[in-house]
Amino acid sequence: MNKAVDTRHPHAHAGGWVPRDQAHVARWVQRLRQAVTRQPRPLVAPIAGLKALVEQDPLLHQQAQGMFDEAWQHEHSTPLGQVQVRSFDEFLQLLNGIMTTAPEAYQDVQTQEPAGLNGFPINALLNWPMATAPDDDSVIANACESAPLQVVTGVRRQDAFWLKGQPYSLDNLLDFDPRAAAFEGGTLYQAFLSALSYHRWHSPVSGTVRSVKVVNGSYYLANRHQGFDSPAGPDPSAPNQSQPFLTAVATRALIFIEADNPKIGLMCVVPVGMAEVSSCEVTVQPGQRIAKGEQLGMFHFGGSTHCLLFRPGVELAFDFYGQQPGLEATNLRINTALARVT
């Protein structure tokens, strides 16, 4: 057998999910493509639903197509030097063929050797596209499943946060950490997790964890000017309207990360407990390398809020996918592209 398709090549071993010989997999996909072309069928309901879900979300559609494009760009590194499925639309058609055809044990049409049963046919379509991943260090990922509250630029190191209004005070936010000075004049993004949101935090950047700290704080505080003294009336969902105020007084974690992208450099993830939430459990340690999207820690119970803090000079273009930040905003998915360094 030609060494380019030798099943004993370590990178050609499919781990038992699909036939060990990648040549058999490639020819099986080709047989499926020919069958779908000869006898096209309407998409069955689950696949039609998947198609509609992906196509109605421009970002999701871009990512779905992007994984096939990226796999094709790396075709030279696959054992056979080729990738079978070229697009998301073709994947749907081939998946439809799988869904409407009984599994078969077959004899390879080229070698006439028994090829066995392809017991995990979807893996045969996605074995290379599923290995693709976002690798753009200029993109900031959404750290929590959360609704955008606000973006503030030019944050001050010290401010009278207890007075009317809710300015951010870096010294208080960062528990008087000496690195607060490095963020003066920078950008702060805050977003809100509802009680039903996924309550784990994931890294918005790839880099090295420089330090972690949990700052003990108060329970059930709200800014009085967002309560009964508010011109708009008291906040019936307290402390929702007091989220900026809570960044200075509630229990919170401080996770400083040195991003691999020098245009970002040192940034800080600040998960903040609200009301009864005081359990900020950090699961990373100083010195640890962290990839964008990897877990940093979690809240336990209730709804919460969090901030991403960037130094001055870090120019960010945020994307909230057609909505405006505020209390009426809805959740962005975790690890969604949130902003790009310009």
Side-chain angles (χ1 to χ4, degrees), residues 5 72 87 92 116 125 192 205 244 300:
V5 294
W72 190 263
S87 69
L92 291 177
L125 304 182
F192 171 61
V205 297
H300 297 283

Side-chain angles (χ1 to χ4, degrees), residues 151-155 185-189 308-311 314 316 318:
V151 175
V152 177
T153 57
V155 288
T187 298
L188 186 147
Y189 166 73
L308 303 180
L309 184 60
F310 301 90
R311 297 172 307 132
V314 180
L316 297 168
F318 285 88

